[in-house]
Amino acid sequence: MLDDRHGDAFVAFEHVQKSYDGQTLVVKDLNLAIGKGEFLTMLGPSGSGKTTCLMMLAGFETATHGEIRLAGRPINQVPPHKRGIGMVFQNYALFPHMTVGENLSFPLEVRGMAKPDREARVKRALDMVQMGRFISRRPAQLSGGQQQRIALARALVFDPELVLMDEPLGALDKQLREHMQFEIKHLHEELGITVVYVTHDQGEALTMSDRIAVFNDGRIQQLAPPAELYERPGNSFVASFIGENNSLPGVIEEFQGDKALVRLDGGGVIDATAVNIREKGQRTTVSIRPERVEFKPEMMPPGAHTIEAKVAEVVYMGDILRARLAVAGSDNFVMKMRNTIGQTRLEPGQVIRIGWHPQDARALEPTA
Amino acid sequence: MANVALDPHAAVVSTASGGPAALTSADGTPLARALARSQRRARRRAFLLVLPLLAFILITFVVPIGQMLQRSFYNAGFSANMPQVSAWFAETERGTDPDDAAWAALAADLTAAAEARTVAMVGTRINYDLSGTRSLFTSTGRALRGGIEPPYRENLLEIDQKWGDPQLWSVMREASRPVTANFYLAAVDRARDAEGNIVQVDERQRVYTMLFGRTFWLSLVITALTFVLGFPIAHLLATLPLRKSNLLMILVLLPFWTSLLVRTTSWMVLLQQQGVVNDLLVWTGIIGASGRLQMIYNQTGTIIAMTHILLPFMILPLYSVMRTINPSYVRAARSLGASSWTAFRRVYFPQTLPGLGAGALLVFILAVGYYITPALVGGSSGQLISNMIAMHMTSTLNWSLAAALAALLLAAVLVLYWVYDRMVGIDNLKLG
Ligand SMILES: Nc1ncnc2c1ncn2[C@@H]1O[C@H](COP(=O)(O)OP(=O)(O)OP(=O)(O)O)[C@@H](O)[C@H]1O
Ligand SMILES: [Mg+2]
């Protein structure tokens, strides 16, 4: 796995800052190293600076401060067309006055490639996205998904080592989006290219990426592989942004190694893993995934602390059962149970005791 | 034809023509008829709504233009008022010397025309082709008040010797036929000689072809200039932040809002030999005090002033097209390896073509028919064909020639429109 030393990274952002108006920083001190062949996703809410980062990498925006390097070479002064970076835009940006074939041969033409070579490459790229039959169509005569494939083929046809994609699937419906996610991932593995992918769809980010950089407020909140991000969120923002999450406010009562005992504001004591909390008596927000909550004592580690919960409602969702519980003064605590044959059916009004493995509950900094 | 049953097309046709295949609506009427009936009411109402406009266009546009065009090949100013001599011309060959019958017919017609006070009209008609003859007709008309006795030839010649001029007779013969192509011939500097052959007119009188040429050439130059000047402005308008682009838009539209006279006067102040621009050039030493440039009352003046006035017609269609071009196209081109110039040439510029086509067509057509600006700042070398049309409408009163010139201009514009449609396609025109 890559570490955060930027020396041999393929793409490196070092202390990059960006301001559009000279008053507010849209990107604040960005440090990011992307390895060769990696699929890195920038994930974050709207306005968090993802596109801005991508545009700085592509060369359409200049960094206000800091350095961006590509294959070890600083590229702050290199104009976009000399960077050799493929790019897929959210609106595809297929040239409307050119046919699909002309669109694809454009990057080859401007590189001065001879016609026979161009034709062969265009054909190969189109076959790669199964669009060979559409070579003489205009973009306007294609469906959204087809345009998407053409845009992808055009970004890949000149064999760039780095491809940037800014919400490339944003305009597609769910089914097509999932299909294209698979295809993009497949192409990434097949071609061995480096991909920087921007999305605000966390499902997309989790399924496609090698690593995800979670952006908020112009900073990377956490940079980690999907599983780690999901299971071990580094702060409250990441915990609440990725996946469904229960949060319980409280105070640290005791440390045992990195295990902590937390006294909840609504009463009761629970086990947790201290993440970015180091002192006894400090306020914290404990975050627990709904599917990691247990209510059968045999599923919990021995000696685990439990708290009382009252079932408010149970929703049948097919593969899972989703129970809403009243816990420690909040009635929005969610527990998910697998819908197996032997599963205990809970009834509203029933009082149970819930608990969990200490590593599944993460004591994070308090939320405002 | 041997195997009709196996011909797939034959099979399709036979089922289609067999009744059951046709679609019908619920009550059994054919679907197409039911649809037509349901749409008829809506269509009738729509027609009634546009009827006032239709009538307006018909009365103010189609009818007058039709009449104008008719004048270009039909002029009964001579034949209607001089029926007997016209009949004599119709009976005799071209080149026949006027005999006694002809003189008698002329005398009778002139007397009748003098009575009916139409002799001046006849004179005007003949004057188109032979200048100085209007007074011949009016003065003869006055002399004939008391009637005329034979021998007509001698008596008429006594009133004015010019009646014996063979050219006058040949001109009268041409004018005796109300339907004629002669005005079109005149409009392209041609005329008929005594034998009826089409010949070029005397070199000193050839003005119209030269003026047509100049009109089209200057219009081209003006169109090109508005493009060169307007393209960057339209681009700025489309890309600047709203506040700045609004200000710029006001500047662009300013020529529309100022009175023509104010604009023209300011051009005079700027461009005349003792004007601001010349003063500036002399002051900076670019030209000597003796070499002041003549920039107004000539072609230069026409070009400068018309470019200024027509600039918005180029800028607005360009702007409306450029506004819709997403900046990501150019970015995409750049990311694909195109330099900014290549991205402009291959990706941005082609997408502005619908606006450019519309703007160029608009400017060119307006320039071809422009009249007032060349009249004010064009001097004599900056006059265009429309100034000639205006002159024939207002001072020489040769409406037929004016109509012929206008018809040629209209035809040229239509041809241009047709060529544009063939080359670019009129659906690609984007006016706003
Ligand atoms: N050209 C610009 N001029 C001024 N401010 C800008 C410009 N582009 C973006 N911003 C601002 O920078 C911030 C980050 O924008 P950015 O487009 O990078 O967000 P994003 O993470 O891509 O959001 P989204 O998910 O909505 O695309 C926003 O607050 C935005 O208003
Ligand atoms: Mg964005």
Side-chain angles (χ1 to χ4, degrees):
Chain A
M1 201 75 257
L2 279 156
D3 62 14
D4 274 2
R5 266 181 293 114
H6 300 164
D8 51 353
F10 184 54
V11 178
F13 287 84
E14 272 184 10
H15 302 294
V16 172
Q17 295 185 322
K18 172 70 186 177
S19 173
Y20 284 107
D21 52 7
Q23 285 166 14
T24 50
L25 281 176
V26 168
V27 174
K28 303 166 183 160
D29 195 36
L30 180 78
N31 291 286
L32 178 61
I34 303 169
K36 202 162 168 65
E38 192 177 8
F39 195 116
L40 182 120
T41 299
M42 295 178 174
L43 176 68
S46 197
S48 56
K50 308 179 298 287
T51 301
T52 306
C53 287
L54 213 62
M55 288 301 164
M56 287 192 288
L57 183 51
F60 297 121
E61 296 291 350
T62 50
T64 314
H65 175 81
E67 192 172 78
I68 303 173
R69 287 203 305 268
L70 180 64
R73 201 163 52 104
I75 53 169
N76 291 35
Q77 303 303 324
V78 180
H81 67 283
K82 298 231 173 95
R83 297 193 181 190
I85 298 176
M87 185 145 186
V88 181
F89 292 80
Q90 177 165 10
N91 61 358
Y92 315 134
L94 295 176
F95 306 138
H97 57 293
M98 299 185 189
T99 64
V100 165
E102 287 162 352
N103 262 285
L104 261 74
S105 91
F106 181 82
L108 307 177
E109 266 170 60
V110 298
R111 284 175 170 74
M113 189 180 282
K115 195 157 187 245
D117 295 350
R118 282 205 311 256
E119 282 171 355
R121 287 257 204 146
V122 167
K123 195 175 159 338
R124 205 181 61 202
L126 280 178
D127 289 341
M128 199 166 66
V129 292
Q130 293 111 51
M131 291 290 292
R133 291 184 296 125
F134 298 91
I135 187 161
S136 48
R137 292 255 191 112
R138 297 259 166 166
Q141 299 167 319
L142 300 175
S143 74
Q146 290 168 338
Q147 291 184 29
Q148 219 293 318
R149 285 157 191 262
I150 301 301
L152 195 60
R154 189 180 66 176
L156 295 173
V157 71
F158 58 99
D159 288 342
E161 294 187 10
L162 175 63
V163 178
L164 313 182
M165 306 191 191
D166 190 358
E167 305 197 27
L169 307 180
L172 303 183
D173 64 45
K174 189 167 172 293
Q175 212 170 352
L176 198 55
R177 198 158 63 214
E178 282 168 7
H179 184 71
M180 286 306 298
Q181 286 170 11
F182 170 77
E183 289 204 4
I184 290 175
K185 189 66 195 157
H186 186 73
L187 281 172
H188 164 248
E189 278 158 14
E190 197 177 352
L191 301 175
I193 47 175
T194 308
V195 177
V196 180
Y197 193 97
V198 166
T199 182
H200 52 229
D201 178 338
Q202 44 161 303
E204 196 164 291
L206 290 173
T207 50
M208 298 179 78
S209 327
D210 293 331
R211 285 194 304 165
I212 300 172
V214 180
F215 274 67
N216 190 36
D217 195 25
R219 284 183 201 282
I220 295 184
Q221 302 290 329
Q222 189 171 359
L223 174 64
E228 187 178 328
L229 204 63
Y230 187 82
E231 286 171 26
R232 290 193 285 283
N235 61 31
S236 298
F237 174 79
V238 177
S240 60
F241 189 71
I242 311 268
E244 205 174 7
N245 195 65
N246 294 302
S247 43
L248 297 167
V251 179
I252 304 278
E253 190 154 283
E254 203 179 304
F255 273 112
Q256 297 160 352
D258 63 346
K259 298 277 175 294
L261 215 58
V262 179
R263 176 161 299 280
L264 299 179
D265 293 353
V269 176
I270 57 167
D271 300 310
T273 304
V275 178
N276 49 7
I277 295 289
R278 282 283 154 249
E279 274 172 54
K280 221 162 132 172
Q282 215 177 332
R283 287 203 59 77
T284 179
T285 298
V286 181
S287 124
I288 311 133
R289 298 283 177 208
E291 67 275 18
R292 297 291 168 93
V293 180
E294 303 291 354
F295 66 103
K296 295 176 202 149
E298 68 270 21
M299 301 297 288
M300 299 175 212
H305 288 86
T306 58
I307 47 172
E308 188 171 279
K310 187 173 174 193
V311 179
E313 106 189 291
V314 180
V315 181
Y316 180 81
M317 295 179 77
D319 54 343
I320 58 162
L321 297 165
R322 187 173 188 276
R324 192 161 59 77
L325 311 174
V327 174
S330 138
D331 63 350
N332 237 338
F333 194 96
V334 177
M335 177 172 74
K336 286 181 183 168
M337 300 158 281
R338 285 176 59 218
N339 186 7
T340 52
I341 293 184
Q343 186 62 276
T344 315
R345 304 283 148 159
L346 297 176
E347 297 296 329
Q350 201 176 338
V351 176
I352 53 175
R353 289 198 76 80
I354 54 170
W356 43 76
H357 285 267
Q359 69 265 29
D360 288 335
R362 297 178 65 78
L364 304 165
E365 85 284 2
T367 50
Chain B
M1 282 312 292
N3 218 337
V4 174
L6 289 182
D7 181 355
H9 298 294
V12 168
V13 170
S14 68
T15 43
S17 58
L23 287 171
T24 59
S25 67
D27 63 357
T29 46
L31 198 56
R33 182 136 35 97
L35 183 68
R37 196 171 43 201
S38 69
Q39 286 178 341
R40 201 173 308 144
R41 261 176 71 91
R43 222 174 306 151
R44 196 175 316 143
R45 189 156 347 127
F47 178 74
L48 283 178
L49 280 175
V50 298
L51 197 62
L53 177 66
L54 216 60
F56 179 79
I57 289 179
L58 207 68
I59 293 168
T60 61
F61 193 71
V62 178
V63 173
I65 288 198
Q67 277 198 338
M68 188 72 197
L69 287 181
Q70 189 213 23
R71 258 177 222 280
S72 68
F73 59 85
Y74 181 87
N75 190 317
F78 185 88
S79 58
N81 298 315
M82 307 281 280
Q84 297 185 34
V85 73
S86 293
W88 181 82
F89 280 126
E91 282 159 16
T92 52
E93 290 275 304
R94 196 187 289 275
T96 314
D97 280 332
D99 54 14
D100 284 345
W103 286 104
L106 178 66
D109 279 342
L110 281 172
T111 318
E115 288 284 310
R117 299 184 184 282
T118 54
V119 71
M121 203 154 52
V122 177
T124 306
R125 169 67 189 89
I126 300 303
N127 198 56
Y128 292 166
D129 301 320
L130 199 63
S131 51
T133 38
R134 190 167 181 277
S135 61
L136 168 69
F137 276 82
T138 47
S139 63
T140 309
R142 266 195 306 278
L144 289 183
R145 284 283 159 68
I148 184 167
E149 301 288 321
Y152 297 112
R153 179 169 180 273
E154 284 68 22
N155 285 347
L156 277 171
L157 286 177
E158 195 171 314
I159 293 170
D160 201 318
Q161 278 297 323
K162 284 192 200 141
W163 286 112
D165 183 359
Q167 202 186 349
L168 174 67
W169 280 87
S170 120
V171 164
M172 283 199 296
R173 178 184 283 281
E174 287 299 332
S176 72
R177 279 178 298 129
V179 177
T180 171
N182 285 359
F183 296 111
Y184 283 98
L185 290 179
V188 291
D189 293 336
R190 302 290 193 282
R192 284 183 200 280
D193 61 9
E195 283 80 47
N197 301 317
I198 296 170
V199 290
Q200 277 204 312
V201 297
D202 192 61
E203 196 151 355
R204 280 167 295 130
Q205 293 173 0
R206 287 178 207 163
V207 281
Y208 303 118
T209 42
M210 184 274 287
L211 273 179
F212 270 116
R214 180 197 285 168
T215 302
F216 282 99
W217 168 241
L218 287 192
S219 299
L220 265 180
V221 170
I222 289 162
T223 309
L225 278 176
T226 54
F227 165 63
V228 170
L229 296 174
F231 197 91
I233 297 174
H235 182 72
L236 272 183
L237 272 176
T239 48
L240 276 182
L242 199 63
R243 271 175 46 113
K244 285 184 192 157
S245 73
N246 276 346
L247 189 70
L248 192 59
M249 184 60 105
I250 289 175
L251 293 180
V252 166
L253 293 178
L254 214 55
F256 281 146
W257 298 342
T258 41
S259 138
L260 187 82
L261 282 174
V262 173
R263 252 180 301 164
T264 313
T265 318
S266 52
W267 280 121
M268 290 174 186
V269 171
L270 280 174
L271 297 178
Q272 61 183 312
Q273 283 202 304
Q274 303 305 322
V276 178
V277 174
N278 266 317
D279 283 349
L280 211 67
L281 288 176
V282 171
W283 181 71
T284 53
I286 293 172
I287 53 171
S290 56
R292 284 172 175 264
L293 301 174
Q294 178 73 41
M295 289 183 289
I296 198 165
Y297 309 123
N298 59 9
Q299 279 189 21
T300 319
T302 300
I303 292 175
I304 293 176
M306 278 178 64
T307 303
H308 178 234
I309 288 160
L310 294 175
L311 203 51
F313 293 98
M314 178 63 90
I315 292 176
L316 292 178
L318 269 177
Y319 162 67
S320 83
V321 169
M322 286 176 175
R323 215 179 27 176
T324 64
I325 301 178
N326 196 316
S328 69
Y329 290 125
V330 171
R331 290 188 160 183
R334 302 271 281 141
S335 81
L336 292 170
S339 64
S340 45
W341 166 243
T342 310
F344 170 79
R345 190 173 53 86
R346 297 277 314 270
V347 173
Y348 189 79
F349 183 70
Q351 293 189 63
T352 65
L353 280 181
L356 176 58
L361 204 63
L362 212 57
V363 169
F364 189 86
I365 289 176
L366 284 173
V368 159
Y370 230 78
Y371 150 69
I372 198 116
T373 304
L376 290 174
V377 299
S380 64
S381 73
Q383 298 293 302
L384 303 182
I385 195 72
S386 39
N387 300 107
M388 218 25 114
I389 297 175
M391 185 195 86
H392 284 306
M393 296 289 292
T394 54
S395 47
T396 69
L397 299 182
N398 190 349
W399 283 25
S400 288
L401 182 56
L405 288 168
L408 287 179
L409 203 56
L410 181 65
V413 168
L414 288 179
V415 165
L416 194 77
Y417 196 73
W418 179 77
V419 169
Y420 182 88
D421 187 32
R422 286 325 281 295
M423 280 176 20
V424 190
I426 226 73
D427 334 337
N428 282 335
L429 205 65
K430 186 123 193 229
L431 285 176

